[in-house]
Amino acid sequence: MTIKQVKEFFIDKEYAPCPLTEKLVKAGYQQVSGGYIDRAKWRRVRVNYKENSPSQYWHLMTYCDSRNPEKPFSTSVICGELIFWMAEASGVVETSELERMVNRIVESADYSRGNRPVYDRRKWNREIYNLCFDKIMHLTM
């Protein structure tokens, strides 16, 4: 899928109910810095995982807008919360599979370093990617 195709597919999904993504992000599974978090701060978009902000819809649209629309949607996109949202918003992965995944991730939270939970993002991003990415990329093919 090209970036343009991804954007066109998801453009009307801003208000799609995604309670599992919301649960994931509100549990603290959100990048702390870099990528879309830095872009949000630069654009003065509120960054607060407890409010699920910025939204993953915003994340995807700003990503797509910053890239050549004719290029393939990159397999190097590894942000777990984005891929998870794309899977939930599109319905391409069974809700029960996403629910099991989010519960496993939330249960793995490490609170030993303060109030904000810490996750093994490398591990969980890879698991989310493996479960969801190929299914997402076959949406319009």
Side-chain angles (χ1 to χ4, degrees), residues 57-91:
Y57 175 85
W58 182 90
H59 181 174
L60 180 62
M61 292 302 123
T62 60
Y63 172 84
C64 290
D65 290 343
S66 70
R67 302 293 190 277
N68 178 338
E70 301 309 318
K71 296 280 185 183
F73 191 84
S74 178
T75 58
S76 68
V77 172
I78 57 165
C79 181
E81 60 268 31
L82 176 60
I83 296 170
F84 194 95
W85 175 81
M86 292 171 75
E88 187 176 18
S90 67

Side-chain angles (χ1 to χ4, degrees), residues 1 13 19 25 30 35 44 52 56 60 74 78 81 84 93 101 111-112 116 124 130 137 140-141:
M1 284 178 82
K13 308 266 187 287
V25 175
Q30 180 188 60
R44 296 196 166 113
N52 191 22
Q56 296 309 305
L60 180 62
S74 178
I78 57 165
E81 60 268 31
F84 194 95
V93 176
M101 175 74 70
Y111 287 91
S112 67
R116 182 171 179 158
W124 293 117
N130 289 341
M137 290 302 102
T140 62
M141 298 182 136

Side-chain angles (χ1 to χ4, degrees), residues 91-111:
V92 73
V93 176
E94 290 290 328
T95 301
S96 60
E97 289 183 89
L98 292 174
E99 193 166 20
R100 278 192 297 278
M101 175 74 70
V102 76
N103 289 336
R104 288 176 54 225
I105 294 169
V106 170
E107 289 168 7
S108 76
D110 176 359
Y111 287 91

